[in-house]
Amino acid sequence: MSADPKALYQEVILDHNRKPRNYGELAHPSHHAEGVNPLCGDHIHIALDLKDDTVEHIVFHGESCAICKASASMMTVAVKGRSALEAKTLMHEFVEMATGRLNAKDAPHIGRLAVFSGISALPMRVKCAILPWHTLQAAFNAEPSVSTEAEADPMQAPLGDA
């Protein structure tokens, strides 16, 4: 018997919202950025330590909706211990999947993040799910902040090369 994808999605979102992984701050991160979604009020900070091209530590904190918090929590788990290139590949695949431009089955690195594959059917929630990923990209690019609105709207173009 296969699990209902909607029920699994809800269960995962609620779990990561109630008990976010890697929630907190780093004293002296090598990379950090702030992400803002003015429409729903999501406001998060991503900080990481990159050592020998590997994401050694990654944390997030801020005020956000359950979808954004769950996405950030799962993102930190997924990229911790990976190389910068692997993390950037995963960023690209996640955003493409969440925006409906890539099927989760065609995204070899997605793994458990596939629970977000149905978010593309909820356009108002897509920005919530991808804000942490765009914030991570900003951190890798030494950009202090990123927004989901105006020219920075991630729905208007695919995630750029990080």
Side-chain angles (χ1 to χ4, degrees):
M1 183 168 104
S2 64
D4 174 17
K6 287 183 182 179
L8 179 60
Y9 166 79
Q10 290 175 343
E11 183 180 319
V12 169
I13 297 298
L14 291 175
D15 179 50
H16 280 268
N17 183 51
R18 282 191 294 258
K19 298 178 289 189
R21 283 49 153 200
N22 303 304
Y23 189 87
E25 297 185 40
L26 287 178
H28 303 288
S30 63
H31 297 75
H32 59 89
E34 170 185 36
V36 179
N37 180 349
L39 286 181
C40 82
D42 293 336
H43 186 186
I44 65 168
H45 298 265
I46 304 285
L48 63 120
D49 276 327
L50 198 60
K51 299 257 169 82
D52 298 323
D53 198 48
T54 299
V55 178
E56 187 170 284
H57 301 287
I58 182 167
V59 297
F60 77 100
H61 71 277
E63 296 296 322
S64 63
C65 68
I67 292 172
C68 184
K69 187 183 281 184
S71 180
S73 176
M74 290 184 74
M75 176 192 74
T76 63
V77 170
V79 302
K80 190 173 187 177
R82 292 188 184 234
S83 71
L85 179 60
E86 291 170 326
K88 292 172 186 179
T89 299
L90 187 55
M91 282 188 304
H92 177 75
E93 285 184 9
F94 183 87
V95 171
E96 292 296 297
M97 177 194 69
T99 55
R101 295 185 288 245
L102 178 66
N103 186 313
K105 294 174 186 166
D106 299 326
H109 306 95
I110 287 294
R112 293 180 179 184
L113 294 164
V115 297
F116 283 96
S117 64
I119 199 84
S120 63
L122 306 166
M124 294 302 290
R125 307 308 286 174
V126 170
K127 290 181 184 183
C128 301
I130 64 176
L131 178 63
W133 299 86
H134 278 275
T135 307
L136 179 59
Q137 179 189 28
F140 274 123
N141 292 337
E143 298 168 9
S145 65
V146 66
S147 173
T148 59
E149 297 309 309
E151 307 84 47
D153 183 350
M155 290 298 293
Q156 300 306 314
L159 187 68
D161 292 330

